[in-house]
Each structure stands twice: as C-alpha cells, then as structure tokens.
Amino acid sequence: MKVDVLLGLQWGDEGKGKVVDVLTPRYDAVARFQGGPNAGHTLEFDGKKYVLRSIPSGIFQDGQTNIIGNGVVLDPVLFRQEALELEASGIELRKVLKISRKAHLILPTHRLLDAAGEKAKGSSKIGTTGKGIGPTYTDKISRNGLRLGDVENAAEAKAKYEEHRNAHLRKLADMGAEADMAALAELEKAWFEAVDYLRTFDIVDSEFVVNDLISKGKKILCEGAQGTMLDVDFGSYPFVTSSNTVCAGACTGLGIAPNKIGEVFGIFKAYCTRVGSGPFPTELFDETGKTIRAIGHEYGAVTGRERRCGWIDLVALRYAIMINGVTQLIMMKSDVLDNFDTIRACVAYKVNGKETSQFPFSIEDGTVEPVYVDIPGWKTPMTGVTSEEQFPTAFKDYIAFLEKELGTPITIVSVGPDRTQTIERRK
Ligand code: GDP
Ligand code: IMO
Ligand code: MG
C-alpha cells in the first residue's frame, strides 16, 4: 500500500485543510509531517469554521487515526489551546490522535529568539509568524533540541528544560535582547502545565505506527503545511520557513521510505498569495490585488495579516510540480475570480531581458519580469456549481489551458470554503 501526500504548491494558504478534510473518508490515517503552529488550516462544514494549527485536518471525519509526526515542531501551550477547543466542540481527540515522541518542542524562549532575530534583521526581516519556528528547527539541526520524549518523564523535565532555556537566555543576551524574567516565569508556568496536558495524549514512536499501518494495507494521507515556495531548500530563500515543505519532507517527517509514496496531490489557488516579506513576481499593487483580497478574504488565519495577492505564476507552479512529483492538481478558490472580465497567468519570466520558463536561482524584486497571457473570464457565479457538467465553457477552457501549461491533470476544483463546495472531475 502506498502513502499519498497532499501539499501546497505556492506560498501557503492554498486550502490544504479544506481538501484534507474532504479526502479523509478515503483514508485510514492522516499525518502531519512538518511545520508547527505557523500553519493555519481552515475547515468549514455545517455552518461552522475551524482553524487547525498543529493537529491534522483529518480529525472531523469518522475516527481515522491522526498523527503528528517527528518532523513537526510542537508548542505545548498552543497545542493545549487547540485541543481544548476541539474537545469543547465534542471531538474525542484522545481516541484518534497520536503524537511522535521525536517531535521537537517549541519553548517560550524560542519565541523570544524568533522576535529578536526579526528585530535584528530590521527592514530585511522575514515577517515570520512569531511562533518560534526558525529557532526551534535551528536547535534541532544544530543538535540542541528538546523533544517530546525528553519531557515524558515529569521528574526529569524541569532540569532538561532549564538547560535549554539557559542556553537561549545567553543567546538572547548576545543579541542585546535580554528577556523580561518575570514575564518569562509566567510563560514557563503555562508551558509546564501544557506539557502535563500533552502527557495525557498517546505519545508514540510514530515511525512504527505509520509503517505498521502501511504493512497492514491501510491508507495514509500526509498533510503538508506551508507551501513549496516556502521550502527551506527550494523556496524563495531566505524568505522561507525552516522546514522541508516538499514531498520529501513527508519521508523524513514521518519515517516513510521514498518508494512508499503514491499519489502526490499538489494544491494551488487560481491566483496567488503570500504573507510576510519576500519576493513575489506576480504581486498586484493595484485595485485588482485589493479586489482579490476582499473577495477571497485573504487575511492570515494565524496572524490576521493582509495576504499579498497576485496573478497565478505558472513558472513557479511548474517548478513546484517537478520538485514534488505531483500526480494530481487541485485548484482552489477559482470562485474568487468569477466576476473578472479577464484573468492573467504568468507563463514565463524575463530575466536580464531573456525569456525563460525555468524558475531562476533568485526571484528577488526587480530581477524577474513576469510574461503574462490574458484569458477570458467565465463571468458566472460558481459557488453553487456541483458537477463538472455545469462548468461554463470559458471555465473549461481555463482548466484545459492550465493542464496543458502544467502537464498535470486537475482532478479537483474547489468553488467555495465549505466541505460541500468541492467538485471532482472525471479522470
Ligand atoms: P491552508 O493553510 O492551506 O489550509 O489554507 P487557509 O485555511 O490558511 O486559507 C484558505 C482560505 O480559503 C480559508 O479561509 C478557507 O476557508 C478558504 N477556502 C478554501 N477553499 C476555498 C474556495 O474554493 N473558495 C473560497 N472562496 N474560499 C476557499
Ligand atoms: P499554512 O500551513 C502562509 C510564512 C510566514 C513567513 C515565513 C516564515 O497555513 O499554509 P515562520 O513563522 O514559518 O518562520 O515564517 O513563512 N508562513 C506561512 N505563510 N501559510 C503558512 O502556513 C505559513 N507558515 C509560515 O508568513 O513569511
Ligand atoms: Mg493557512
């Protein structure tokens, strides 16, 4: 049995949470493999809206196993908050959720280091979510991290924590960002309470759980966070997150062998957004950008920040499809463009006056100029459409254009935020 992977192809917020929830009934388990509470995955059904941060988007279906893998970084305080909210709405989380003891923990001082790092960068700051993601992964890679398994034994947790906290305090002092010790003491109290709460969950060696499921012929869906253009290796470095958001991340973040990967669902919006700083070749600074933001409610699920909006970038998408080995595409939020007379798609970049369809080393502002083609809009409200047969001709033409440009079939089209507003195309 192969494991399927669903991941974002742009700069995050493509609608991963919604589609994972829709696909979950076909799987026995859903697993997160990287990222942490920098993610905000929105699900809507039965008139209710949920935003998940660290917990997989498979928890609202029929009791599938949900796994937080070793590649995830976990903030106990934010996890507790998220879990309590879910429990309050009737989800029996403990029955379905398993957490890897190899997942690294975000400490309060990681968040202070994140803030200090951003401050030190000044105008070249990354615009992080401020959740301590970078410093936590830095500790992991430099072999200084604290894992969930390290605090499983309550008697040892404090001493281990303090060792890490003290190293962080020295780092903060070096950066001229001395911590407010009274405020930190409050944060630490909440952190230890949350670790106590975390211990009441099923903490496992998730690589064995995952491989056991595979060998029993069970189906697993891996849920990516962020997007390919935020990948630490292949994204718009240094304006990226600190994990491998690409398909390979599912292997390292869960302990899945590469030859076990089956379908790779690549998810993208019919336009493009980005939150935080960093280059964005097709960004729109005009009224059109504002219109997309307003209609698409493009505000961060985690930070509430305005998302920057622009036209779809097929150069970046082709690159993302290549890196991830995408087998099926899922197009989201095309309904946001329902009223447009003309839609634009970037099909190539001009780099130093030369046209290229290959994603370059740098897309820094001013180095690439998008080459656009204009596509007629469909000018039809699509949010109530329930089958492919009802697609207007101009919309079918748009899909055919994208499939040709991207060399990959679009098998699902989403026309609204609700679970039900999802159309599967015939293969
Ligand atoms: P994720 O991080 O990839 O899970 O995506 P987010 O939840 O951060 O952002 C996607 C936003 O778009 C959420 O507010 C969703 O409710 C919403 N959404 C998802 N699919 C659609 C769609 O097809 N149309 C519209 N209009 N909204 C959608
Ligand atoms: P989901 O899973 C959109 C962005 C931040 C910032 C950069 C680094 O909801 O798609 P970090 O806090 O990770 O160090 O920030 O990455 N970023 C996201 N943008 N969606 C996300 O997650 C993101 N997670 C991080 O805005 O530019
Ligand atoms: Mg999001």
Side-chain angles (χ1 to χ4, degrees), residues 167-234:
H168 293 164
L169 291 177
R170 287 193 294 274
K171 234 188 222 179
L172 282 164
D174 286 347
M175 294 170 89
E178 235 99 3
D180 171 346
M181 293 309 282
L184 181 60
E186 285 298 309
L187 296 173
E188 288 178 332
K189 190 167 164 278
W191 192 85
F192 276 103
E193 279 167 15
V195 169
D196 289 342
Y197 176 79
L198 248 177
R199 277 194 210 101
T200 65
F201 279 79
D202 197 7
I203 300 174
V204 297
D205 294 315
S206 61
E207 61 275 36
F208 286 104
V209 174
V210 167
N211 283 287
D212 225 41
L213 286 166
I214 297 172
S215 62
K216 287 185 178 135
K218 303 287 184 193
K219 291 193 76 183
I220 303 176
L221 178 63
C222 304
E223 173 181 2
Q226 290 78 54
T228 302
M229 301 317 291
L230 288 170
D231 179 86
V232 68
D233 280 279
F234 299 104

Side-chain angles (χ1 to χ4, degrees), residues 135-329:
T136 307
Y137 277 117
T138 300
D139 272 355
K140 172 177 175 172
I141 299 301
S142 66
R143 300 158 292 183
N144 290 306
L146 186 67
R147 298 179 295 175
L148 181 52
D150 296 323
V151 296
E152 253 183 294
N153 179 341
E156 292 172 5
K158 194 153 185 289
K160 285 190 179 160
Y161 167 85
E162 281 177 356
E163 195 185 309
H164 290 82
R165 190 256 335 251
N166 292 343
H168 293 164
L169 291 177
R170 287 193 294 274
K171 234 188 222 179
L172 282 164
D174 286 347
M175 294 170 89
E178 235 99 3
D180 171 346
M181 293 309 282
L184 181 60
E186 285 298 309
L187 296 173
E188 288 178 332
K189 190 167 164 278
W191 192 85
F192 276 103
E193 279 167 15
V195 169
D196 289 342
Y197 176 79
L198 248 177
R199 277 194 210 101
T200 65
F201 279 79
D202 197 7
I203 300 174
V204 297
D205 294 315
S206 61
E207 61 275 36
F208 286 104
V209 174
V210 167
N211 283 287
D212 225 41
L213 286 166
I214 297 172
S215 62
K216 287 185 178 135
K218 303 287 184 193
K219 291 193 76 183
I220 303 176
L221 178 63
C222 304
E223 173 181 2
Q226 290 78 54
T228 302
M229 301 317 291
L230 288 170
D231 179 86
V232 68
D233 280 279
F234 299 104
S236 49
Y237 192 89
F239 298 98
V240 294
T241 191
S242 298
S243 64
N244 279 119
T245 62
V246 295
C247 188
C251 297
T252 57
L254 285 164
I256 295 171
N259 63 355
K260 296 281 177 5
I261 302 292
E263 293 294 318
V264 181
F265 299 103
I267 178 163
F268 69 99
K269 284 179 195 174
Y271 47 95
C272 200
T273 63
R274 160 158 221 176
V275 59
S277 347
F280 180 1
T282 60
E283 183 167 11
L284 287 163
F285 299 96
D286 57 6
E287 283 307 310
T288 308
K290 286 186 191 144
T291 305
I292 294 176
R293 182 179 308 124
I295 302 175
H297 304 292
E298 293 297 355
Y299 295 90
V302 173
T303 55
R305 289 179 292 180
E306 274 189 358
R307 291 180 186 148
R308 300 154 63 191
C309 298
W311 295 119
I312 194 165
D313 183 340
L314 302 180
V315 181
L317 273 179
R318 278 185 219 114
Y319 182 68
I321 290 167
M322 175 184 84
I323 297 292
N324 291 302
V326 171
T327 58
Q328 300 185 40
L329 287 167

Side-chain angles (χ1 to χ4, degrees), residues 12-18 40-44 49 269 295-297 301 307 332-336 414-417 421:
D13 302 328
E14 296 89 350
K16 299 174 289 291
K18 172 189 160 160
H41 296 178
T42 315
L43 288 76
E44 286 190 39
K49 183 169 163 173
K269 284 179 195 174
I295 302 175
H297 304 292
R307 291 180 186 148
M332 311 299 288
K333 301 191 88 160
S334 53
D335 54 289
V336 172
S414 169
V415 292
Q421 292 171 302

